Amino acid sequence: MSDPKTVKLVDESSHRGSELPLVSGTLGPACIDIGTLYKDTGHFTYDPGYGSTASTKSAITYIDGDQGVLLYRGYPIEQLAEKSSFLEVAYLLLNGELPKQDEFSAFEHDITHHTMMHEAQKNFFQGFHHDAHPMAMLAAAVASLSAFYHENLDVDDPADRKMAAIRLIAKMPTIAAACYRYTIGWPVRYPRNNLDYVTRFLHMMFEVPSEPLQMNPVAAKALDLLFILHADHEQNASTSTVRLVGSTGANPYASIAAGITALWGPAHGGANEAVLKQLEEIGTPDNVEKAVLRAKDKNDSFRLMGFGHRVYKNFDPRAKIIREMCHKVLDELGVNDPLLDVAMKLEEAALKDDYFVERKLYPNVDFYSGIIYKALGIPAEMFTVMFAIARTAGWIAHWIEQHETPGSRIGRPRQVYTGADVRDYLPTGKR
Ligand code: CMC
């Protein structure tokens, strides 16, 4: 018997029904296309948090949360992590194929030659308070790019879209490093284009005008790997935000700035900063049991940061790679961080606890990344900024895909209204 190609939904009270087609992709479960449901039955669907809703078709990234699978354009994340580089992955996400040598050279050349910030943009930073959070500065600075490049903002022009992708991927590290340096009172460092993408960023972060920077190549290798792992993740909250803003026809910089603010929340990209703070609060492995008890207490809003994922219910394949890398990087850099002991004890305690096992709560990508960033000398406030640099490749790939898809419509969900029934306005004295 062949698989059914439609699903029938009947409203027993009104006897109105709808025969809804199933939409299948290359991998993953088929989806019920509910496009005609309201017309046929007079009902909307209700799915807060979108646990059962596919918002779009996409050919960029595939996740199987039960099997712990993550593919970028079909390539397993484990293979890309071992063999590729962030810039090559960015090309792959944008173009759908791994680049040939000449294609990669041209892409690298384009990225390298758009790394500078407009001189006037540097002045923006002076307007922030000295202790502004770098994510606040990053979102504002990226939104402001639309004020500098308005001659290339035709969202219907493929050349303009490509230019926006190049500019965003190229300038994000420059802007990010400037955010950091402003908060510590250092002068902005210009990008050195003889360096590779990640090494250039580390120089912009840490090099002072008075002396050359000695850098361990392990640091650049580790950061490149973290960027690969964070580059895209299907229709997560920030990518969905980019697409929703993009669906209105908003320009790419405005769309990506919205993604940055969505990423900032502790349930999403802000978790990496929150994990480190939580590990510091726990302090020593002896306090781990208490933290686990608090996380299980329904009267306490405390959650174990870096645990759980909406989609991964087996393990997060990125966390597996990062865990291994964390030990290696700390060894190679000669860093002895007691927080790693706290993290390992926490992981062990949670993984054998029924509460976490039953709810399938495993360490996610952010659980170990903060410890690595810390070992590289990156301050906690910058952790989510690191995530944003990497995710820019994914966000802009999705934004472009959205604009290349014929028939795309503005994103406009409906609601279940729970407010007052219709009533008449009363003059002040009669209320
Ligand atoms: N600690 C303790 N309990 C948890 C946790 C946690 N970290 N995460 C989920 N739970 C419990 C939750 O209380 C609920 O229990 P019950 O069924 O008894 O009410 C159950 O597990 C399901 O949780 P949920 O909130 O319905 O799950 P969700 O899919 O809506 O949320 C999540 C996913 C990632 C937001 C959540 O697990 C969480 O808040 N984790 C901590 C923050 C974090 O690490 N976020 C980074 C995610 S990975 C990187 C990224 O996406 O940017």
Side-chain angles (χ1 to χ4, degrees), residues 126-269:
Q126 309 306 323
F128 287 105
H129 200 257
H130 67 90
D131 60 358
H133 196 286
M135 282 296 280
M137 289 192 261
L138 185 74
V142 170
S144 81
L145 289 173
S146 36
F148 290 98
Y149 302 109
H150 41 80
E151 72 283 9
N152 297 116
L153 286 185
D154 181 355
V155 301
D156 296 321
D157 180 343
D160 277 12
R161 293 198 295 257
K162 185 176 169 205
M163 182 48 77
I166 297 285
R167 283 197 170 119
L168 276 159
I169 295 169
K171 290 183 200 306
M172 197 61 99
T174 313
I175 296 172
C179 294
Y180 168 60
R181 292 177 81 100
Y182 178 71
T183 60
I184 56 166
W186 284 5
V188 165
R189 198 90 195 107
Y190 289 107
R192 293 231 256 119
N193 284 351
N194 59 329
L195 302 173
D196 66 76
Y197 188 85
V198 169
T199 312
R200 181 164 60 232
F201 169 66
L202 287 169
H203 273 255
M204 287 190 285
M205 282 286 287
F206 299 122
E207 194 174 47
V208 288
S210 41
E211 54 193 75
L213 178 71
Q214 302 299 333
M215 196 176 358
N216 189 330
V218 171
K221 182 97 194 62
L223 194 56
D224 195 64
L225 179 52
L226 284 172
F227 281 1
I228 293 174
L229 299 180
H230 282 96
D232 194 41
H233 213 227
E234 207 227 54
Q235 308 307 324
N236 57 84
S238 57
T239 303
S240 297
T241 303
V242 169
R243 278 184 177 266
L244 190 58
V245 176
S247 79
T248 69
N251 75 63
Y253 307 109
S255 305
I256 302 299
I260 293 171
T261 54
L263 185 75
W264 195 0
H268 191 11

Side-chain angles (χ1 to χ4, degrees), residues 253-386:
Y253 307 109
S255 305
I256 302 299
I260 293 171
T261 54
L263 185 75
W264 195 0
H268 191 11
N272 54 14
E273 185 181 342
V275 168
L276 199 84
K277 282 200 180 125
Q278 194 167 82
L279 292 175
E280 282 168 353
E281 275 160 24
I282 295 173
T284 66
D286 304 346
N287 295 328
V288 160
E289 283 308 320
K290 259 189 278 166
V292 171
L293 282 176
R294 273 194 74 189
K296 296 193 302 184
D297 182 353
K298 286 287 149 204
N299 299 314
D300 192 333
S301 60
F302 179 89
R303 281 188 168 198
L304 284 190
M305 300 313 287
F307 276 83
H309 197 276
R310 167 60 63 80
V311 181
Y312 293 122
K313 300 299 175 195
N314 181 332
F315 62 90
D316 180 339
R318 303 166 301 171
K320 250 189 169 178
I321 299 169
I322 286 191
R323 187 183 195 277
E324 243 175 64
M325 175 170 84
C326 186
H327 289 279
K328 214 167 145 224
V329 168
L330 264 55
D331 276 355
E332 289 184 19
L333 293 179
V335 174
N336 182 13
D337 190 341
L339 287 190
L340 186 60
D341 298 334
V342 180
M344 284 189 336
K345 181 81 193 290
L346 192 59
E347 184 186 21
E348 188 195 324
L351 289 183
K352 62 178 191 220
D353 190 294
D354 284 350
Y355 174 96
F356 289 86
V357 173
E358 279 160 16
R359 288 169 182 75
K360 301 184 174 174
L361 301 170
Y362 296 88
N364 58 48
V365 67
D366 287 325
F367 187 63
Y368 280 104
S369 64
I371 297 177
I372 303 175
Y373 287 138
K374 186 167 172 250
L376 302 183
I378 292 164
E381 299 74 37
M382 284 293 289
F383 290 0
T384 314
V385 173
M386 300 290 116

Side-chain angles (χ1 to χ4, degrees), residues 97-110:
E97 297 296 337
L98 285 167
K100 297 193 174 71
Q101 187 56 55
D102 57 331
E103 292 168 330
F104 183 72
S105 301
F107 181 64
E108 193 174 32
H109 177 274
D110 285 348

Side-chain angles (χ1 to χ4, degrees), residues 40-190:
D40 294 345
T41 67
H43 297 305
F44 299 132
T45 53
Y46 176 60
D47 183 21
Y50 311 118
S52 297
T53 297
S55 60
T56 185
K57 288 181 183 170
S58 178
I60 301 175
T61 290
Y62 174 73
I63 302 174
D64 181 333
D66 295 322
Q67 300 302 320
V69 171
L70 169 59
L71 312 176
Y72 293 164
R73 298 285 191 181
Y75 294 102
I77 192 66
E78 293 80 2
Q79 291 183 25
L80 294 169
E82 191 190 331
K83 298 176 181 159
S84 189
S85 68
F86 171 68
L87 218 49
E88 188 179 65
V89 163
Y91 181 99
L92 172 69
L93 291 171
L94 283 167
N95 298 289
E97 297 296 337
L98 285 167
K100 297 193 174 71
Q101 187 56 55
D102 57 331
E103 292 168 330
F104 183 72
S105 301
F107 181 64
E108 193 174 32
H109 177 274
D110 285 348
I111 295 287
T112 305
H113 289 84
H114 286 90
T115 49
M116 300 260 290
M117 257 195 296
H118 193 290
E119 251 338 77
Q121 201 179 18
K122 267 171 54 185
N123 301 334
F124 280 18
F125 291 92
Q126 309 306 323
F128 287 105
H129 200 257
H130 67 90
D131 60 358
H133 196 286
M135 282 296 280
M137 289 192 261
L138 185 74
V142 170
S144 81
L145 289 173
S146 36
F148 290 98
Y149 302 109
H150 41 80
E151 72 283 9
N152 297 116
L153 286 185
D154 181 355
V155 301
D156 296 321
D157 180 343
D160 277 12
R161 293 198 295 257
K162 185 176 169 205
M163 182 48 77
I166 297 285
R167 283 197 170 119
L168 276 159
I169 295 169
K171 290 183 200 306
M172 197 61 99
T174 313
I175 296 172
C179 294
Y180 168 60
R181 292 177 81 100
Y182 178 71
T183 60
I184 56 166
W186 284 5
V188 165
R189 198 90 195 107
Y190 289 107

